[in-house]
Amino acid sequence: MATCFLPCPLPVNLKGSNNGMIIPRFRIRCSLSVNKKTEPEPVCQLVKAFAPATVANLGPGFDFLGCAVDGLGDIVSVRVDPQVHPGEICISDISGQNPNKLSKNPLWNCAGIAAIEAMKMLGIRSRGLSLSLEKGLPLGSGLGSSAASAAAAAVAVNEIFGNKLSVEELVLASLKSEEKVSGYHADNVAPSIMGGFVLIRSYEPLELIQLKFPAEKELFFVLVTPDFEAPTKKMRAALPGEIGMPHHVWNCSQAGALVASVLQGDLVGLGKALSSDKIVEPRRAPLIPGMEAVKRAAIQAGAFGCTISGAGPTAVAVTDNELTGNIIGQHMVRAFLEDGNLKASAKVSQLDRVGARRIEN
């Protein structure tokens, strides 16, 4: 029997510093038998999977709230490849957004790391896989670029071998990738895999709660991305190591209001809570040229609320119809140019209620 270990650090302060403490780990016993008969056989030779972009934090929900947005994301194709050493992954091609900035070494690529972890969980030892990645999301955009690559890869590997892994296991496989790239937080990978709104109740052990936004309600996200890169590690480094009790109480109440608004389909309440973070946004907004003006412009143009998507620099506003969303987006783009001297592009997307999924080859 073989045992694989998945490190899972406990939550730490906002900067992610462990302050010299030893972080406990928990392990998942994969119970992989070396007997090839216990391995799942491939049910097909090639699978293509799509994983959507995400908006993490949603204002006051730092590291524990996120949602998936429709129409944007990454595509990963995985195939059984006899030229690849059994039990290993080879990245054959990377295309799309900034392909030259990404490593083809699977140990240093988000898709590769998640694919390897999924293979470990499945106990794949007698098959080698090759992987190609099509980046639909720009790097460092605040739209869950690394999470989408990881989610699509984990889902593709799982589909090839008969869809044996649970949703929680797929999230854990993708978290292995996020841990190496930007930190152990699931507010991107969980909604990218599960779709809709997701609350991370606990990291030790991992507990996920899907928040059902009413099917009859319309929700549109106005996503405005400036020509500016905001690396997650840099944006996390800007956060305070400690916060005062009044801000803690305020943010907790706003996060609770946001969850209630999601479940009730209350867009006005959702937007109000989304805009009310007093801990993270005030530290990050000054690092993104024009962000404060962009938020004002969005609300003045009729948005219910506006904040930074993930670590930024994308700004996200919410509204209830596409036409209004397009108008809001124009005002936000103009504010980025006039106040931040940054060119920006706007896209209006609905909530992705499905999450990562297999698509036609």
Side-chain angles (χ1 to χ4, degrees):
M1 302 288 286
T3 300
C4 71
F5 296 91
L6 179 63
C8 180
L10 292 171
V12 293
N13 67 29
L14 294 180
K15 289 187 179 181
S17 170
N18 299 333
N19 298 321
M21 294 187 299
I22 297 175
I23 297 300
R25 295 171 180 263
F26 81 101
R27 60 187 182 183
I28 297 174
R29 291 192 175 274
C30 296
S31 300
L32 309 180
S33 170
V34 296
N35 187 339
K36 292 182 181 179
K37 290 182 181 180
T38 65
E39 291 185 38
E41 291 292 322
V43 298
C44 57
Q45 296 298 302
L46 172 67
V47 164
K48 183 181 289 188
F50 168 84
T54 48
V55 174
N57 301 336
L58 295 167
F62 179 77
D63 275 6
F64 65 86
L65 280 172
C67 69
V69 294
D70 187 40
L72 299 168
D74 288 358
I75 295 174
V76 169
S77 299
V78 174
R79 65 184 177 91
V80 179
D81 191 341
Q83 302 301 315
V84 178
H85 192 275
E88 295 184 359
I89 281 276
C90 169
I91 298 179
S92 59
D93 182 62
I94 302 175
S95 61
Q97 299 265 4
N98 305 117
N100 295 329
K101 290 187 176 183
L102 296 174
S103 174
K104 284 189 176 180
N105 182 338
L107 297 177
W108 293 101
N109 181 286
C110 297
I113 296 167
I116 290 168
E117 196 65 17
M119 289 180 72
K120 287 181 181 178
M121 290 179 173
L122 289 164
I124 305 304
R125 297 177 178 276
S126 62
R127 299 288 198 285
L129 304 177
S130 63
L131 178 156
S132 64
L133 169 62
E134 182 181 337
K135 288 296 299 178
L137 295 173
L139 306 178
S141 60
L143 293 171
S145 177
S146 61
S149 296
V155 167
V157 171
N158 190 37
E159 287 282 345
I160 275 193
F161 293 99
N163 201 25
K164 304 292 185 182
L165 298 180
S166 68
V167 168
E168 289 78 9
E169 288 171 319
L170 290 171
V171 173
L172 282 170
S174 302
L175 260 176
K176 190 72 170 178
S177 169
E178 287 288 87
E179 181 184 26
K180 178 167 284 191
V181 174
S182 59
Y184 199 83
H185 47 89
D187 48 346
N188 286 119
V189 294
S192 188
I193 287 172
M194 300 168 67
F197 289 89
V198 179
L199 166 68
I200 295 87
R201 182 183 182 185
S202 167
Y203 283 94
E204 169 67 38
L206 183 66
E207 292 184 42
L208 307 170
I209 300 175
Q210 193 156 30
L211 307 175
K212 296 293 185 180
F213 186 78
E216 68 277 9
K217 293 281 187 174
E218 293 285 342
L219 171 58
F220 291 86
F221 298 92
V222 185
L223 303 167
V224 180
T225 305
D227 187 13
F228 180 82
E229 190 168 334
T232 300
K233 289 183 179 179
K234 177 182 177 181
M235 300 304 281
R236 291 182 82 86
L239 301 179
E242 296 180 354
I243 58 173
M245 185 61 71
H247 283 174
H248 165 70
V249 173
W250 172 263
N251 264 43
C252 286
S253 66
Q254 298 309 305
L258 195 151
V259 169
S261 297
V262 168
L263 297 175
Q264 295 168 3
D266 175 9
L267 295 190
V268 174
L270 191 159
K272 186 177 179 180
L274 186 86
S275 301
S276 300
D277 173 32
K278 288 187 177 181
I279 297 174
V280 176
E281 185 182 312
R283 295 297 188 101
R284 287 178 167 173
L287 302 179
I288 304 170
M291 179 60 74
E292 293 171 353
V294 168
K295 181 174 180 176
R296 289 195 303 270
I299 293 172
Q300 289 170 3
F304 297 130
C306 179
T307 190
I308 301 170
S309 176
T314 295
V316 55
V318 291
T319 186
D320 58 357
N321 70 83
E322 187 173 9
L323 179 59
T324 302
N326 287 324
I327 295 171
I328 293 168
Q330 293 170 13
H331 284 266
M332 294 169 70
V333 167
R334 187 180 305 120
F336 261 129
L337 184 61
E338 294 178 353
D339 288 78
N341 197 30
L342 293 175
K343 293 181 179 179
S345 60
K347 182 174 179 60
V348 180
S349 298
Q350 290 183 283
L351 182 69
D352 185 308
R353 299 173 187 264
V354 179
R357 62 268 197 185
R358 181 175 179 172
I359 58 177
E360 293 300 320
N361 293 321

